[in-house]
Amino acid sequence: MAGTAQAPKKLKRNFSLLAALGVILVLAGLVGLIYTWAATLTSMLLFGWLLLIGGVIGLLHAIESRGSDYFWLAVVVAALNIAAGVVVIRHPEGSAEALTLFAALLFLTGGLFRLVGSLVVRGPQFGWTLLQGAFGLLLGILVLGNWPESSRYVLGLFFSLALLFDGLGLLAIGVGGRRIVRMVAEPAGAGGGGGRTTAPGATSPSPGSRHDAHRPEGDQDQSRG
């Protein structure tokens, strides 16, 4: 019973932590939208450290499985990740310019293929696919036309928007989860009132029978007569 009573409190605490994390991410996203260049450098440094740590872990895993067929492939991939991580950490601005150029080319090619594909196929999602293709093509042209100056805010803008939307999602889950737990826990607490119960099939004695039980035996015979 004690564990059952503690379960709603534990769930509320977990959902509160999710909501608090969501608030932190939302604030970080808003700050990143204001200071996009700082958000760009932060995202590049995080990306570099992720590459470096992933490369080191991949290299250790490759050394543990050095008798396997894919040993040298794993070593090469890990070395490339380590080298890329070191380069990104030491040169975040140049790495941001290169990644922004790569992102602009992806927007251009992806938008062009979506646009042409929607015009050729004309499927059930024709309008939506056409809009996506036109938006991707326009975004790629804008980023590429302002490159390398666009590298100062494009990656930071995307990074900040990702933080903002993830934070809003966690905040909604945390607040909604707390509300659901409270709605479920309140009827359970209200229905668990401590009233006196009787065993199934047993009937409570009537006031008259309790009074007769305390009367003298002679008086009970007279009342029966």
Side-chain angles (χ1 to χ4, degrees):
M1 295 296 293
T4 305
Q6 292 295 328
K9 295 182 179 179
K10 187 176 180 181
L11 285 174
K12 283 185 178 180
R13 185 165 58 249
N14 293 335
F15 282 122
S16 299
L17 291 176
L18 281 179
L21 180 60
V23 170
I24 293 173
L25 291 180
V26 168
L27 292 177
L30 292 176
V31 172
L33 290 176
I34 298 172
Y35 302 101
T36 52
W37 177 232
T40 298
L41 291 180
T42 303
S43 63
M44 294 310 303
L45 290 175
L46 287 176
F47 180 59
W49 279 109
L50 286 176
L51 285 175
L52 183 60
I53 294 172
V56 171
I57 294 174
L59 185 60
L60 293 176
H61 182 69
I63 292 173
E64 289 179 357
S65 60
R66 54 182 174 272
S68 60
D69 297 334
Y70 57 88
F71 168 71
W72 289 109
L73 179 62
V75 169
V76 170
V77 172
L80 289 175
N81 285 334
I82 292 173
V86 171
V87 170
V88 171
I89 292 172
R90 294 191 63 180
H91 305 283
E93 297 181 7
S95 302
E97 292 179 0
L99 282 180
T100 303
L101 179 62
F102 181 68
L105 294 176
L106 280 181
F107 289 143
L108 278 173
T109 55
L112 186 60
F113 275 112
R114 284 175 182 266
L115 195 61
V116 174
S118 63
L119 292 174
V120 172
V121 177
R122 293 184 179 271
Q125 301 294 330
F126 167 72
W128 179 246
T129 308
L130 185 66
L131 182 61
Q132 284 182 325
F135 180 75
L137 188 62
L138 179 61
L139 186 60
I141 292 173
L142 290 176
V143 173
L144 191 61
N146 200 25
W147 188 85
E149 286 79 10
S150 58
S151 63
R152 298 178 62 88
Y153 58 85
V154 170
L155 297 179
L157 181 64
F158 291 160
F159 180 66
S160 302
L161 287 176
L163 288 178
L164 181 62
F165 287 121
D166 287 343
L168 289 175
L170 289 178
L171 185 60
I173 292 173
V175 174
R178 279 180 56 87
R179 188 175 303 167
I180 292 173
V181 171
R182 187 168 60 249
M183 290 171 61
V184 172
E186 283 179 355
R196 186 170 61 185
T197 59
T198 57
T203 58
S204 58
S206 63
S209 61
R210 287 199 301 268
H211 181 68
D212 292 339
H214 292 287
R215 290 173 60 184
E217 187 176 354
D219 294 341
Q220 293 180 14
D221 295 337
Q222 291 177 4
S223 63
R224 293 194 192 97

